[in-house]
Amino acid sequence: MYLLLQPAFVSPESDNFNPDDEDLIAELLEDTKVRIMEVLYLEEAARVRALLHEPRGWITLENLSTGRRFVEPVDSTDGENLLLHPVPHADTGEPQARIDPFDEPQARPDDYRTGKYLLLQAVFVSPESDNFSPDDEDLIAELPEDTEVRVIEVLYFEEAARVRALLHEPRGWITLENLSTGRRFAEPVDSTDADPVQNADMGEPQARIHAFDEPLARPDYRTGMYLLLQPVFVSPESDNFNPDDEDLIAELPEDTEVCVMEVLHFEEAGRVRALLHEPRGWITLENLTTGRRFAEPVDSADAENLLLDPVQNADMGEPQARIHAFDEPLARPDYRTGMYLLLQPVFVSPESDNFSPDDEDLIAELPEDTEVRVIEVLYFEEAAR
């Protein structure tokens, strides 16, 4: 806690020292007590700036050019985590406030893991891992201090100096720590779920997904029944990983059982994708880049007819789910003209090489168990159809 020595303007940005009327969040009076959550030293502007808890915005703690101070600690013990200490000022030789993290790295938790966390301060939940300051349209939720959250994935953004976490509920991303300032937003409730990894730059343990150091063991993905480990979006295309509202077929909740009819491995995108029987569309089984798994087989015996087997991935040297057809032609029945029974719904297209007709071209959609008469059969080798 700090006491204002004079009135202060609260600004929405750390580098906006004189906010205009439109940007001004508040004007705080002398002798107001404030709680500081983050401190930044802006060397070129010669300002020490602080982020307040309430109202949420930035004020100046000290103008280093003039020596003018705007606050003083209410209790000196509260300021121990402020990261401020006296250092010689080049011009006057007088002690000046300056941020410690710019001199050497701050001590921080040894490792960020998946599991339960307690929020140390209010946080914004964002739809993207690299969207650190979501606007009102993108904001999923604002969670208050002391909220317990479940983290299901952790990412380390080296250039942005952020440790980011994907929450189970509400589903979105928060910052666990700003490594530039040492500001921590959450602490583990139970730290037994994961392993620390070494950060090559700083020599300190950092939150980082194990998959970035060595490949994670993962199952052979096969057709059959799966149990969802977390909610998933069902997309109309196999390579549409983030369908928008117009394209979204369904959102399936955790613990839903689904029937997988086809599995594809997108090597460049690092995804294992699966075609569901119902609702008919594509989901991600695993993000191979982060090691995040979305589903697990209910019974491995369901996959004996699999069309999949472990094959070597040239890049990672580990078994990967991959369609056998890409290695050699699959054994298949002798397809002949005559009567057939549909095993699942199919689209009827006007051209033999139009595998996914749009609404304008679609002739019909035939339901499962329909009997049809085939009068010609073609084999498309390159398209594997």
Side-chain angles (χ1 to χ4, degrees), residues 336-355:
R336 309 166 182 272
T337 57
M339 298 302 295
Y340 280 77
L341 182 70
L342 297 184
L343 301 178
Q344 52 194 279
V346 296
F347 296 117
V348 183
S349 168
E351 293 93 20
S352 60
D353 58 354
N354 183 349
F355 308 127

Side-chain angles (χ1 to χ4, degrees), residues 135-187:
D135 57 26
D136 289 342
E137 290 184 1
D138 290 335
L139 184 67
I140 293 172
E142 181 175 357
L143 303 180
E145 185 178 351
D146 295 327
T147 302
E148 266 203 11
V149 293
R150 182 181 165 199
V151 169
I152 59 177
E153 182 177 356
V154 179
L155 290 179
Y156 167 42
F157 286 82
E158 190 165 2
E159 189 173 337
R162 297 292 196 285
V163 179
R164 297 279 285 172
L166 178 63
L167 303 185
H168 178 262
E169 184 61 37
R171 183 58 56 89
W173 293 85
I174 65 169
T175 296
L176 293 182
E177 183 177 354
N178 181 329
L179 301 174
S180 298
T181 64
R183 179 182 175 194
R184 292 175 52 205
F185 294 82
E187 64 183 4

Side-chain angles (χ1 to χ4, degrees), residues 27-335:
E27 182 176 355
L28 303 181
L29 303 177
E30 185 177 348
D31 295 328
T32 302
K33 281 188 179 180
V34 293
R35 181 178 169 200
I36 291 177
M37 302 168 61
E38 182 176 358
V39 179
L40 287 179
Y41 167 44
L42 303 184
E43 189 167 5
E44 189 173 338
R47 296 288 197 287
V48 179
R49 297 279 284 173
L51 178 64
L52 304 184
H53 179 263
E54 185 62 37
R56 181 62 58 88
W58 294 84
I59 65 169
T60 296
L61 296 184
E62 184 173 354
N63 182 328
L64 301 177
S65 299
T66 64
R68 182 182 176 193
R69 295 177 56 202
F70 293 80
V71 300
E72 66 180 4
V74 173
D75 178 353
S76 61
T77 60
D78 291 341
E80 287 178 3
N81 63 349
L82 177 60
L83 315 183
L84 289 176
H85 67 106
V87 297
H89 186 272
D91 294 335
T92 66
E94 293 297 316
Q96 296 282 330
R98 190 168 163 196
I99 303 299
D100 210 358
F102 293 96
D103 297 327
E104 56 187 33
Q106 293 292 320
R108 54 184 167 270
D110 285 346
D111 50 314
Y112 288 103
R113 312 163 183 267
T114 56
K116 292 282 192 181
Y117 280 74
L118 183 70
L119 296 184
L120 301 177
Q121 50 195 278
V123 297
F124 296 117
V125 183
S126 167
E128 291 93 22
S129 60
D130 57 354
N131 183 349
F132 308 130
S133 301
D135 57 26
D136 289 342
E137 290 184 1
D138 290 335
L139 184 67
I140 293 172
E142 181 175 357
L143 303 180
E145 185 178 351
D146 295 327
T147 302
E148 266 203 11
V149 293
R150 182 181 165 199
V151 169
I152 59 177
E153 182 177 356
V154 179
L155 290 179
Y156 167 42
F157 286 82
E158 190 165 2
E159 189 173 337
R162 297 292 196 285
V163 179
R164 297 279 285 172
L166 178 63
L167 303 185
H168 178 262
E169 184 61 37
R171 183 58 56 89
W173 293 85
I174 65 169
T175 296
L176 293 182
E177 183 177 354
N178 181 329
L179 301 174
S180 298
T181 64
R183 179 182 175 194
R184 292 175 52 205
F185 294 82
E187 64 183 4
V189 174
D190 179 359
S191 60
T192 57
D193 294 340
D195 297 326
V197 298
Q198 201 72 7
N199 180 327
D201 291 338
M202 301 183 71
E204 293 293 319
Q206 298 277 325
R208 192 167 162 195
I209 298 298
H210 210 178
F212 289 110
D213 294 328
E214 55 188 34
L216 292 170
R218 54 187 168 268
D220 294 332
Y221 289 104
R222 310 167 181 267
T223 56
M225 298 303 295
Y226 280 74
L227 183 70
L228 297 184
L229 302 177
Q230 50 195 281
V232 297
F233 295 118
V234 183
S235 167
E237 292 93 21
S238 60
D239 58 353
N240 183 350
F241 309 131
N242 297 299
D244 57 26
D245 289 342
E246 290 184 1
D247 290 335
L248 184 67
I249 294 172
E251 181 175 357
L252 302 180
E254 185 179 352
D255 296 327
T256 302
E257 275 202 5
V258 293
C259 177
V260 169
M261 302 168 58
E262 183 178 356
V263 179
L264 290 178
H265 171 215
F266 287 82
E267 191 164 0
E268 188 173 338
R271 297 291 197 284
V272 179
R273 297 278 285 172
L275 177 64
L276 303 185
H277 178 264
E278 183 60 39
R280 182 61 55 86
W282 293 85
I283 65 169
T284 296
L285 294 181
E286 183 176 353
N287 181 328
L288 301 174
T289 304
T290 64
R292 181 182 174 195
R293 292 176 54 203
F294 295 82
E296 64 183 4
V298 173
D299 182 357
S300 60
D302 290 342
E304 287 178 358
N305 63 346
L306 166 60
L307 314 188
L308 286 178
D309 66 346
V311 298
Q312 202 70 7
N313 180 321
D315 293 336
M316 301 180 72
E318 290 293 314
Q320 299 269 331
R322 189 168 163 197
I323 299 297
H324 207 176
F326 291 111
D327 297 326
E328 55 187 34
L330 291 169
R332 55 186 172 270
D334 293 332
Y335 288 106

Side-chain angles (χ1 to χ4, degrees), residues 8-12 16 18-28:
F9 294 118
V10 184
S11 167
N16 183 350
N18 297 300
D20 57 26
D21 289 342
E22 290 184 1
D23 290 335
L24 183 68
I25 294 173
E27 182 176 355
L28 303 181

Side-chain angles (χ1 to χ4, degrees), residues 346-350 357-365:
V346 296
F347 296 117
V348 183
S349 168
D358 57 26
D359 290 342
E360 291 184 0
D361 291 335
L362 184 67
I363 294 172
E365 182 176 356

